[in-house]
Amino acid sequence: MPMLPEHADEVLAIFQSGIDGGNATFETACPTWAAFDAGKLAGHRLVARDADRVLGWAALSPTSDRPVFAGIAEVSIYIHPDARGRGVGRTLLGAVIDSSERGGLWTLQAGIFPENAASIRLHESMGFRMLGVRERMGRHEFGGRSVWRDVALLERRSDVVV
């Protein structure tokens, strides 16, 4: 279902959980809802819910403001720790892929820490291919220390949008 402002608290809490886990993002603090919302493409922000709560979310972000790159977006997907291993990620990633193709996007990319093997497997199972690992992409401030982190770059090209 579409991500709506009333999902903000739960979406940001799930994002914070990813930050706290140390293998999801370089971010060290959760953004405000306004900043989060401004950085995502309208129409390509989804949540998975059960009857009571948000189980996870997926969203697309622009990779550039240059018109030539308007068909390329970066995927973010975060699953509540209690909902992992239940197919929520596959459902959300499939839905955001469908959304991207309906919106005319021809390429989705994902930057994933190599240690996040479950996320890499999920993306590969949904048609993403590993382009390579970009070494020492950034310093990650986590757990009171600062370490260089590599980022695996994955890409999915649409067979529908050509």
Side-chain angles (χ1 to χ4, degrees), residues 1-157:
M1 75 180 301
M3 183 187 296
L4 303 172
E6 53 261 31
H7 301 131
D9 289 345
E10 291 176 282
V11 166
L12 294 179
I14 292 169
F15 189 40
Q16 184 64 54
S17 175
I19 292 169
D20 294 344
N23 280 327
T25 179
F26 279 108
E27 298 299 327
T28 58
C30 199
T32 64
W33 177 252
F36 177 92
D37 187 53
K40 307 298 183 227
L41 293 172
H44 304 288
R45 300 177 284 192
L46 306 169
V47 295
R49 290 184 51 86
D50 65 10
D52 301 320
R53 65 185 176 137
V54 173
L55 301 174
W57 60 267
L60 300 181
S61 303
T63 59
S64 174
D65 60 1
R66 295 179 60 198
V68 69
F69 298 120
I72 304 170
E74 182 173 0
V75 175
S76 296
I77 183 166
Y78 286 77
I79 308 303
H80 190 287
D82 296 342
R84 292 181 186 151
R86 295 175 29 195
V88 175
R90 175 173 297 282
T91 298
L92 279 168
L93 190 53
V96 83
I97 288 168
D98 290 344
S99 170
S100 73
E101 291 180 334
R102 283 192 312 275
L105 300 173
W106 58 83
T107 300
L108 297 180
Q109 63 185 35
I112 304 171
F113 291 142
E115 296 83 1
N116 194 343
S119 185
I120 291 173
R121 281 192 308 273
L122 170 63
H123 283 76
E124 288 179 332
S125 76
M126 299 296 289
F128 284 74
R129 66 187 177 104
M130 176 78 70
L131 297 179
V133 176
R134 301 174 78 187
E135 297 176 350
R136 296 173 52 106
M137 282 298 297
R139 295 200 54 89
H140 189 197
E141 307 294 329
F142 181 74
R145 55 191 188 108
S146 176
V147 296
W148 285 103
R149 297 292 298 264
D150 298 344
V151 175
L153 183 60
L154 291 90
E155 172 184 88
R156 182 185 187 281
R157 295 288 175 113

